[in-house]
């Protein structure tokens, strides 16, 4: 292997054309002329960026999915669970994120139970079951301590902590697993 210094890129094929295009872009914007060729790899990258921007704009302006938009404000480049191999973990967190889990209020909504109330007598929404229900009090205390140790401040709201993604998901999953909660 040999390293060689080339003065000012002189003698490199098409270097002068690239320099002219760069100078033209600075002064005149996008128009590089019809006789210039842009490599397809550059066009694909530009297309992907614009496609993602359009998708994000439609996501932001959509009248549906407002609850999910609270916990996932931007369309990610990769799924939140990409490097996770635990199917049980992914399943539970997806159910919690979408509020399609088997908590009393949702079971009532689906016609699986006669009442939306928890066994403790309060409305059994997901916020109540994971963060407040006396039935799971010792597990909730452990969850709170774990969240506080990760810098989550009080008061804790389920939707606000779900925005923290990877930081809190393992804590919530451990709560579900340890309390033997069925989601």
């Amino acid at each position: 292997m040999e390293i060689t210094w080339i003065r000012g890129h002189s003698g490199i094929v098409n270097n002068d054309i690239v320099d002219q295009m760069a100078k033209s872009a600075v002064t005149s914007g996008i128009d590089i002329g019809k006789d210039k060729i842009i490599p397809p790899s550059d066009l694909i990258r530009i297309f992907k960026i614009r496609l993602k921007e359009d998708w994000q704009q439609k996501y932001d302006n959509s009248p549906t999915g407002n609850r999910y938009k609270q916990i996932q404000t931007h369309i990610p480049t990769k799924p939140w669970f990409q490097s996770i191999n635990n199917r049980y973990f992914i399943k539970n967190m997806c159910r919690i994120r979408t509020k399609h889990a088997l908590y009393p209020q949702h079971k009532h909504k689906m016609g699986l139970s006669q009442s939306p109330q928890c066994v403790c007598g309060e409305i059994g929404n997901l916020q109540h079951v994971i963060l407040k229900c006396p039935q799971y009090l010792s597990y909730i205390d452990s969850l709170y301590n774990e969240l506080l140790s990760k810098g989550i401040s009080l008061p804790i709201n389920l939707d606000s902590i779900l925005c923290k993604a990877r930081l809190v998901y393992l804590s919530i999953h451990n709560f579900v697993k340890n309390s033997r909660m069925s989601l």
Side-chain angles (χ1 to χ4, degrees), residues 40 61 63 70 84 96 98 103 109 142 146 149 176:
N61 297 328
Q70 289 176 346
I84 300 170
I96 290 170
T98 59
Y103 55 95
K109 183 179 175 182
S142 296
E146 202 171 323
S149 73
V176 171

Side-chain angles (χ1 to χ4, degrees), residues 152-163:
I152 306 295
S153 58
L154 296 174
I156 293 176
N157 173 292
L158 188 61
D159 288 342
S160 68
I161 63 172
L162 287 174
C163 294

Side-chain angles (χ1 to χ4, degrees), residues 86-105:
N86 185 336
R87 185 166 159 34
Y88 180 69
F89 175 84
I90 295 169
K91 176 190 78 165
N92 281 339
M93 290 315 303
C94 283
R95 287 181 176 176
I96 290 170
R97 285 167 50 101
T98 59
K99 288 192 176 177
H100 287 252
L102 295 176
Y103 55 95
Q105 190 178 44

Side-chain angles (χ1 to χ4, degrees), residues 88-89 92 135-144 146 169-183:
Y88 180 69
F89 175 84
N92 281 339
Q135 178 183 359
Y136 300 111
L137 197 55
S138 64
Y139 302 107
I140 292 171
D141 286 343
S142 296
L143 175 62
Y144 269 75
E146 202 171 323
Y169 285 6
L170 187 57
S171 301
I172 294 171
H173 172 71
N174 287 338
F175 164 78
V176 171
K177 185 173 73 172
N178 295 337
S179 66
R180 299 176 192 236
M181 185 181 290
S182 177
L183 293 178

